[in-house]
Amino acid sequence: MTVYADSEAPPPKGARALGLAGASLICLLMGAAATITLLGSSTHSVSVRIPLMPSASRAPVQPVIRAEPTPDTPMPPVTQVSHAGRALIADPALTENTALGPLPRIADDGRKPMTAYAAPAAAGKFRIAIVMTGLGLSAKATQGALAGLPPAVTVGILPYASDAPRWLSAARARGHEVVLQVPMEPFDFPDSDPGPHTLRTGSATSANTERLNWALTRFTGYAGVANLLGDRFLSDSDALAPVLTSLSRRGLYFYDTGSTLRSVVPTVAGGLGAPFAQGAANLDTIQTALEIDRRLAELENTARTHGSAVGTAFVYPVSVERIALWAKSLQSRGFVLVPVSAIVSAPKQ
């Protein structure tokens, strides 16, 4: 895994610039080494660009994931019901076997993947869901997240990992609900490139459908789909509507990670009657315990006001640690931790 750092401040001049450049290089190398030590090596070829320090002029951003193409070897057809522990991860009735691989579908009896693959939810007046994204990027980070997080936390798995089905099984066996992270076009594409099957705003609907189906066939057992990057795509109604329509027809919900204020997901999904949820906060854009704790407190305030709230985090070890600690006393403060499916808006009948 390769880590880069971005600096947004204008470069100083003369000797001062040379001195600062040298210091920045040293910090960059130290930051790269620290990140590799924390996250561990990836099981596939991926690189992540993580800003070492946020700019004072704008909000810090989530990591930019650069994923190299993986072999397009289709998963075998789903011919029998499969479980991971007690959790369902595959069902022929919920599957359309295609040349690409198994696609989710609504069963003939009306069952939907978003309910069949959902994790159980506790009852409570004020509900909070947490989505931990980036699983499959690093084996060490993924194992740490699955070992440390409460089962009620929803996890997002990347489609590029060759061992994604194994991570899905491990997550479901531990009680987690799973969302598939589908790569979507960010504003600074291709500088930030989420992968070779990215959904694009300038592409024909048929091309985006083909890319979406590629992602959907990487593994089975997920209840919904979340965006991987996608600021530009989520702000374009014409590009977004066919995708939400397709997901709804396959019985999946869509989770908007809340990465952009320009998102039109609530408007488009509401008009289509498509099930969705939207993140209220990115919890770890600044990766410190103090800042993550502050964002979690804000998430509680949002849940008290609206009855429910969803927060998004990345598989940083500090994020896993703070969320796990926060969840231990959550019930004593009047909240209940639930999977995203418990907060998803009900589609129109």
Side-chain angles (χ1 to χ4, degrees):
M1 178 167 53
T2 307
V3 182
Y4 305 85
D6 295 332
S7 175
E8 297 176 5
K13 299 179 180 179
R16 182 166 173 247
L18 182 60
L20 288 178
S24 297
L25 178 59
I26 294 172
C27 290
L28 173 57
L29 294 175
M30 292 175 63
T35 302
I36 292 171
T37 299
L38 288 173
L39 292 184
S41 60
S42 173
T43 57
H44 53 291
S45 181
V46 212
S47 62
V48 182
R49 183 185 49 161
I50 303 177
L52 297 180
M53 292 195 305
S55 167
S57 62
R58 72 178 187 186
V61 295
Q62 287 282 19
V64 174
I65 299 168
R66 296 181 181 274
E68 299 297 333
T70 54
D72 287 346
T73 303
M75 279 191 66
V78 174
T79 58
Q80 61 184 11
V81 174
S82 299
H83 292 81
R86 296 183 179 180
L88 180 69
I89 61 172
D91 186 340
L94 296 166
T95 306
E96 175 189 351
N97 289 313
T98 72
L100 278 176
L103 281 168
R105 76 175 187 97
I106 299 175
D108 294 339
D109 61 6
R111 287 184 301 136
K112 297 180 178 180
M114 65 177 285
T115 52
Y117 298 135
K125 182 178 180 181
F126 301 115
R127 297 169 299 163
I128 296 178
I130 301 291
V131 180
M132 179 66 68
T133 63
L135 274 74
L137 174 66
S138 156
K140 181 179 179 180
T142 301
Q143 290 168 347
L146 294 180
L149 291 170
V153 171
T154 301
V155 297
I157 297 179
L158 303 176
Y160 295 113
S162 59
D163 53 358
R166 180 170 68 89
W167 294 127
L168 179 285
S169 295
R172 297 289 287 131
R174 287 169 170 80
H176 298 286
E177 184 166 297
V178 174
V179 292
L180 164 69
Q181 292 188 259
V182 171
M184 299 181 182
E185 181 183 1
F187 280 114
D188 59 347
F189 185 87
D191 291 337
S192 295
D193 185 356
H197 298 274
T198 298
L199 276 59
R200 300 285 306 280
T201 56
S203 297
T205 297
S206 58
N208 279 335
T209 299
E210 182 179 348
R211 295 165 187 161
L212 174 64
N213 287 346
W214 177 88
L216 294 176
T217 55
R218 296 307 92 190
F219 52 92
T220 64
Y222 49 89
V225 163
N227 55 294
L228 173 58
L229 302 187
D231 293 4
R232 181 185 296 277
F233 194 85
L234 296 185
S235 66
D236 190 309
S237 300
D238 293 336
L240 180 63
V243 171
L244 295 186
T245 298
S246 179
L247 295 177
S248 180
R249 289 175 177 172
R250 294 195 175 278
L252 300 167
Y253 67 75
F254 181 73
Y255 175 62
D256 175 356
T257 61
S259 59
T260 175
L261 296 176
R262 303 185 191 184
S263 173
V264 294
V265 168
T267 301
V268 175
L272 295 171
F276 80 98
Q278 187 175 44
N282 286 307
L283 302 173
D284 53 5
T285 49
I286 299 176
Q287 298 94 47
T288 65
L290 183 64
E291 183 64 18
I292 293 170
D293 291 348
R294 185 181 71 81
R295 295 289 181 91
L296 288 167
E298 290 177 351
L299 196 65
E300 290 184 13
N301 291 334
T302 301
R304 282 197 185 278
T305 301
H306 300 286
S308 64
V310 191
T312 307
F314 188 74
V315 286
Y316 299 116
V318 66
S319 302
V320 173
E321 176 189 356
R322 300 316 298 176
I323 290 170
L325 183 62
W326 163 82
K328 288 180 179 179
S329 59
L330 192 62
Q331 190 171 2
S332 67
R333 297 193 297 278
F335 299 93
V336 60
L337 188 62
V338 297
V340 173
S341 58
I343 293 180
V344 165
S345 63
K348 296 178 181 178
Q349 302 297 323

